[in-house]
Amino acid sequence: MAESIVIIGAGIAGLSTGCYGRMNGYDTHVFEMHNAPGGLCTSWNRNGYVFDGCVHWLLGTKAGTSFNRVWMELGALQGRKVVDHEEFLRVEGPEGKALVLYSDAGRFEEHLKSLSPKDARVIEELTKNIRRFGKLDPPIDKPGGLEGFSMLFKMAPMMMGFKKWAKTSLQDYSRNFTDPFLRSIFPLTFDVLKFPVLGMISTLGWMNERNAGYPIGGSLEMAKAIEKRYLDLGGEISYRSRVEKILVEDGKATGVRLADGTEHKADIVVSAADGHATIFDMLDGAFINDTIRGYYRNMPLFPPIIQVSLGVKRDLSPEPHSVSFPLEYPVRIAGRSISRMSYKHFCYDPTMAPAGKSVITTIIETDYEYWKALHDDEEMYREEKERVGSIFTAEMEKRFPGIREDIETVDVATPVTYVRYTGNWKGSFEGWLLTTENSTLMIKGMPNTLPGLENFYMAGQWIKPGGGLPPSALSGRETVQAICKKYGSKFQADMP
Ligand SMILES: Cc1cc2nc3c(=O)[nH]c(=O)nc-3n(C[C@H](O)[C@H](O)[C@H](O)COP(=O)(O)OP(=O)(O)OC[C@H]3O[C@@H](n4cnc5c(N)ncnc54)[C@H](O)[C@@H]3O)c2cc1C
């Protein structure tokens, strides 16, 4: 019978593993290299402003749904206000005409029809699927026996229908519209090559059900709430503790060695840290097969990003909160020509800026190797960050004349920042990119164990293609379920 678990990483997956481990009576110890919980789920204070680096929407904010149960078990949402946005995103075309992704499916349908009445049939099919998908709430505890069979029977036809959407990219899908504006603007809504329509349908489906809101307080507050739950359950956590190696004896994981040379033994090791570092550095690539090697060689990653954050002494709350817009002239950032940008303001969350002031952020896809090389020269790295900050400022000045004078703080995070603070491979901010080619892997899942290594599990975004907070939290729960199953004990979970 195993009694102790060592967990690598205090991101959402590591904290979740710790919480469920404690709920099931295991001694748990989390080792985190940074000095705070959350990993990618974080925010930072600058000059009276809070710049959030993660959550824009969270699946599971509707009471009674499966993921809501997970967040409640983890103590993440208790007492937290949630904002359900009326619009998810506004995508502007070259002449200022905009496609608005309204959260309400009925309003979205009306809006699409007003843009192109002759595409009514395609539009109705799309919004019908958005409504249907939003209602799908796959159970997190798969029922066995007759109950499980009847559930599968009910869900199967729906899942078959959705498979088609998982294999169709937004680019291909947009050809169903006859209207040239819809055809050109649709692929820009989730501006990722080969992004499956299912990704859009599911996001808007959950928004329509008001099950994908924004938790007031943002990312770090949510991570701290889960950390509190873990500590209240009696879990142990050590910060500034980088794990260098996973200790292995006779094909069994037996503990970890930290960068300071100390060793910590346990019956089970769970890595909720970066997948590549876990497999190839902490375990020296000794436990792998062709399938896993293939993932790390061939599967695309969420592209690294630059986040520019501005603190401005101006109230932007009457403005749409999330807008993608074409640039008047393309700009060059990190060796790439950029012809479109986006911005978000956080005025719906009063904890992000003092009254009457606002935070504006943008995220720009970029090249990891460029920033990594530049980082070797401190001066050039700093200058390039400043240049990117001023490019975004100039674009905001065009949109909100005079805003340049109101800017009190500029902050630029590059892929190097993401690697420094979270260790994620090549700065990927959500692990494996969701594409039409791997979307079924998202449904089937990736293995959370490694061949030839016992008493070891992986949790987090690197075993959940598409990444995101809910899959990371769920993976911690599933890991402890697997441990309980292995040792013949009944999995327990409760809410604080
Ligand atoms: C800009 C941005 C926007 C996002 N928006 C959303 C959103 O709106 N909704 C959503 O659901 N998701 C969103 N995400 C994705 C989400 O943040 C991630 O998928 C999720 O937080 C991953 O959690 P994780 O625990 O798997 O990994 P991580 O957060 O990467 O946690 C891993 C932890 O392990 C630690 N670690 C690494 N190596 C070691 C080591 N050797 N020793 C000790 N500790 C180590 C790291 O410091 C880190 O704390 C967004 C992410 C970003 C960056």
Side-chain angles (χ1 to χ4, degrees):
M1 173 69 195
E3 288 175 358
S4 56
I5 310 177
V6 149
I7 299 155
I8 309 168
I12 297 305
L15 292 170
S16 164
T17 310
C19 287
Y20 289 109
R22 286 301 304 141
M23 285 181 226
N24 287 278
Y26 290 93
D27 289 334
T28 57
H29 194 152
V30 178
F31 292 97
E32 165 58 49
M33 66 177 186
H34 189 32
N35 59 6
L40 288 163
C41 183
T42 196
S43 33
W44 50 100
N45 293 297
R46 293 283 182 278
N47 200 16
Y49 294 92
V50 179
F51 295 146
D52 201 287
C54 175
V55 67
H56 301 122
W57 58 276
L58 183 74
L59 173 63
T61 50
K62 182 175 174 178
T65 58
S66 303
F67 273 109
N68 185 260
R69 201 170 110 212
V70 176
W71 294 126
M72 296 304 277
E73 287 168 355
L74 294 175
L77 290 183
Q78 278 85 343
R80 196 169 300 281
K81 266 181 75 180
V82 168
V83 176
D84 288 299
H85 293 299
E86 284 189 15
E87 23 179 285
F88 170 59
L89 172 68
R90 187 171 277 251
V91 189
E92 294 177 351
E95 274 99 43
K97 192 170 168 183
L99 169 69
V100 186
L101 273 69
Y102 286 108
S103 302
D104 179 85
R107 194 164 171 203
F108 186 43
E109 185 176 312
E110 254 173 53
H111 170 63
L112 287 172
K113 284 181 178 170
S114 74
L115 289 171
S116 176
K118 56 185 187 304
D119 283 314
R121 196 191 50 76
V122 181
I123 293 166
E124 280 162 16
E125 201 204 359
L126 176 71
T127 49
K128 183 181 88 189
N129 279 292
I130 288 174
R131 289 188 187 92
R132 282 175 72 207
F133 196 95
K135 295 214 181 309
L136 201 67
D137 187 30
I140 44 171
D141 294 312
K142 307 204 174 36
L146 265 184
E147 204 193 325
F149 184 73
S150 115
M151 186 201 82
L152 254 177
F153 193 72
K154 273 191 222 145
M155 278 176 57
M158 241 199 247
M159 295 311 289
M160 292 303 284
F162 288 131
K163 208 165 168 192
K164 175 178 108 187
W165 301 109
K167 292 275 167 209
T168 311
S169 72
L170 269 182
Q171 284 85 355
D172 288 341
Y173 178 77
S174 64
R175 294 195 195 106
N176 289 316
F177 297 110
T178 58
D179 179 69
F181 175 71
L182 286 186
R183 272 182 167 225
S184 61
I185 208 87
F186 236 74
L188 302 175
T189 52
F190 292 74
D191 201 2
V192 169
L193 201 64
K194 295 192 191 166
F195 188 78
V197 190
L198 186 62
M200 175 197 244
I201 288 178
S202 55
T203 307
L204 293 180
W206 294 322
M207 301 249 159
N208 183 49
E209 285 294 312
R210 298 171 87 79
N211 189 20
Y214 166 87
I216 290 287
S219 305
L220 185 58
E221 286 309 305
M222 203 176 96
K224 280 183 180 167
I226 304 177
E227 182 208 41
K228 180 176 180 310
R229 168 76 166 136
Y230 174 61
L231 295 173
D232 288 349
L233 283 162
E236 208 178 329
I237 188 158
S238 298
Y239 288 108
R240 295 190 181 86
S241 301
R242 197 169 74 79
V243 171
E244 215 161 62
K245 290 287 169 207
I246 294 167
L247 304 172
V248 180
E249 286 167 32
D250 300 329
K252 292 189 172 97
T254 58
V256 293
R257 183 163 62 242
L258 304 188
D260 67 8
T262 56
E263 293 193 351
H264 299 264
K265 295 283 190 168
D267 300 322
I268 294 165
V269 175
V270 177
S271 178
D274 169 62
H276 190 273
T278 300
I279 295 171
F280 296 98
D281 301 336
M282 295 180 215
L283 287 164
D284 297 315
F287 303 95
I288 193 159
N289 56 24
D290 286 346
T291 308
I292 298 172
R293 196 175 288 110
Y295 294 149
Y296 285 85
R297 272 200 192 139
N298 307 322
M299 270 219 304
L301 306 180
F302 266 94
I305 51 173
I306 308 167
Q307 175 166 325
V308 184
S309 311
L310 308 178
V312 294
K313 51 174 200 264
R314 185 186 289 201
D315 182 9
L316 292 172
S317 45
E319 301 293 333
H321 74 94
S322 182
V323 179
S324 155
F325 58 96
L327 303 184
E328 201 180 345
Y329 305 105
V331 291
R332 246 187 132 62
I333 294 181
R336 286 189 190 181
S337 175
I338 310 252
S339 55
R340 178 168 274 278
M341 269 192 182
S342 64
Y343 80 83
K344 285 190 164 62
H345 74 64
F346 288 74
C347 297
Y348 46 83
D349 185 344
T351 68
M352 294 287 144
K357 298 186 177 185
S358 310
V359 165
I360 319 177
T361 65
T362 189
I363 284 176
I364 303 163
E365 264 185 48
T366 192
D367 177 27
Y368 172 66
E369 297 301 333
Y370 175 94
W371 289 99
K372 189 166 161 260
L374 197 66
H375 190 250
D376 292 339
D377 186 324
E378 217 178 288
E379 183 73 14
M380 274 174 67
Y381 178 71
R382 194 181 42 76
E383 277 174 14
E384 186 61 4
K385 279 186 20 162
E386 277 172 17
R387 199 180 70 82
V388 177
S390 55
I391 290 174
F392 181 53
T393 301
E395 291 305 326
M396 289 298 95
E397 176 68 26
K398 286 184 199 159
R399 182 165 282 262
F400 306 114
I403 206 159
R404 195 191 297 273
E405 300 304 310
D406 294 337
I407 295 175
E408 296 187 310
T409 307
V410 181
D411 179 85
V412 181
T414 75
V416 178
T417 322
Y418 286 91
V419 172
R420 179 152 37 99
Y421 284 107
T422 71
N424 274 295
W425 191 35
K426 298 186 180 176
S428 174
F429 73 99
E430 225 172 296
W432 306 112
L433 183 67
L434 190 60
T435 69
T436 46
E437 277 142 30
N438 70 0
S439 51
T440 41
L441 201 56
M442 180 183 82
I443 299 160
K444 277 195 311 211
M446 281 165 86
N448 67 346
T449 54
L450 294 177
L453 184 59
E454 277 187 52
N455 301 349
F456 173 80
Y457 298 85
M458 282 172 71
Q461 61 179 11
W462 292 96
I463 57 154
K464 296 279 182 186
L469 298 165
S472 290
L474 184 63
S475 74
R477 197 176 191 274
E478 288 171 346
T479 297
V480 176
Q481 276 173 324
I483 294 171
C484 289
K485 190 170 174 203
K486 180 172 174 192
Y487 292 100
S489 59
K490 192 171 179 313
F491 175 77
Q492 328 243 4
D494 59 13
M495 291 180 197

